[in-house]
Each structure stands twice: as structure tokens, then as C-alpha cells.
Amino acid sequence: MANSEGFDPETIRHKEFSARMRGYETTEVADYLGDLADLIEDLQEENARLVSTNRDLRAELDTYAAGGAPQGQQSGFGDVAAQAPVSAVPEVAVSGQAEAILTRAQQMADQLMSDAEVEARQRVADAADVDLVDYVRTYARVTHDQLKGVIEQLDSQLDRLHDLASRDAHGIAWDSTHQG
């Protein structure tokens, strides 16, 4: 996993970039960074919740492994104490269940982290697409302006040709009336 220094939500929200010609639309970048910061904040909160749950489950497992049951507390493991008296449950079985639960919890945490990394990469790729769209829009605007200028020049030349044709038509008509 990449180094997470400098990627806390507040740093992302307040990140500033230098301006360049044909650069990104600053409000779009700010909105995107805000969304990314919110996602990271949500993932950090979920991770903290999972760490807390994991800590509680480990404490509960330690209590069961020591031969006791938490006083007035329901277990997250299908309440092993209710299924059989603690003395009747072999320590190896409880330990095996604990390991299975911890393994599953670790797999779930790893999957959540993997999913978050994939989503973050996708958002970065989407941001790169924004650059391409911006370039195409700029190119289309410049081309439109150039074509508009060419059309105006052609229209001007067409008016001149029309004037020349009018003068020639009058000149021919004037010549034929004065020659006879």
C-alpha cells in the first residue's frame, strides 16, 4: 500500500496547484478533491470502527479462552457460552473458532482496503479523462473561431465578386448602347 502521509482529508481539501494554460477547471478539481477527501474520511471512520470491533472481539475471545464468559454480554460468535458450558468446550475448539473469526475479520478488512484502493485509482483515472475532454473542448472552440473567420473572408470575397459582376454587366450594357 502507498505511503498515506499527506493524504488526510483536510490536506486533500486544501491542496493547491499551480496554474497553467489550458489547465484544469479549478472548481472541478476542488469538487473532486472534496469528494476524494470525503471518501477517505469515510474509510478512516470505517477502519476505526473495524479496529474497535476487532479489539472488542479479541477481548471477548481472551475471556472465553481463559474459561469464562463476559458477564451480561452477548457474544458476536453465536454465543459459544450458551451453546455449551465453558468447561465442556475444549480450549482447542474455542481457539480454533477464535482464529477462524480473526482470519475472516482480517480478510474483510483487507477486502475493504483493496476496494478502496481500486475506487481511488478509478477516480484518478477519471480525473485524467477530464483533461482529455478539456483539451478537445478547447480545440473545438479554436477550430470554430478559425472556421468562422474563413467563412467571413469568403463572404467578403463573394460580395466583391458580386460587385465586379454588377459593374461588368452595367459596363457591357453601357457599351452596347453607345456604339450604335
Side-chain angles (χ1 to χ4, degrees), residues 17-118:
F17 298 91
S18 56
R20 302 239 189 260
M21 278 195 71
R22 296 186 186 180
Y24 295 110
E25 175 65 38
T26 55
T27 56
E28 289 179 19
V29 172
D31 290 345
Y32 181 81
L33 289 176
D35 291 344
L36 184 60
D38 291 343
L39 174 67
I40 289 174
E41 200 169 54
D42 292 345
L43 290 173
Q44 287 175 338
E45 289 171 4
E46 184 174 3
N47 189 40
R49 184 183 55 77
L50 290 173
V51 166
S52 176
T53 300
N54 192 18
R55 188 179 322 112
D56 293 346
L57 292 174
R58 282 182 187 269
E60 194 172 337
L61 277 175
D62 290 343
T63 302
Y64 281 118
Q71 301 272 329
Q73 185 177 11
Q74 287 289 327
S75 167
F77 313 116
D79 201 359
V80 173
Q83 293 174 7
V86 174
S87 61
V89 178
E91 187 175 318
V92 174
V94 171
S95 177
Q97 278 186 319
E99 289 301 318
I101 291 168
L102 288 174
T103 301
R104 180 68 183 133
Q106 184 62 47
Q107 289 172 343
M108 290 173 65
D110 291 344
Q111 183 62 44
L112 286 171
M113 289 302 292
S114 176
D115 292 348
E117 287 175 0
V118 166

Side-chain angles (χ1 to χ4, degrees), residues 156-177:
S156 173
Q157 289 181 3
L158 186 60
D159 287 344
R160 286 184 190 163
L161 286 173
H162 180 69
D163 288 345
L164 286 174
S166 275
R167 285 186 206 155
D168 285 345
H170 289 339
I172 292 169
W174 186 81
D175 285 342
S176 61
T177 58

Side-chain angles (χ1 to χ4, degrees), residues 10-21:
E10 286 307 308
T11 302
I12 292 171
R13 280 190 184 92
H14 297 98
K15 176 70 177 165
E16 291 185 18
F17 298 91
S18 56
R20 302 239 189 260
M21 278 195 71

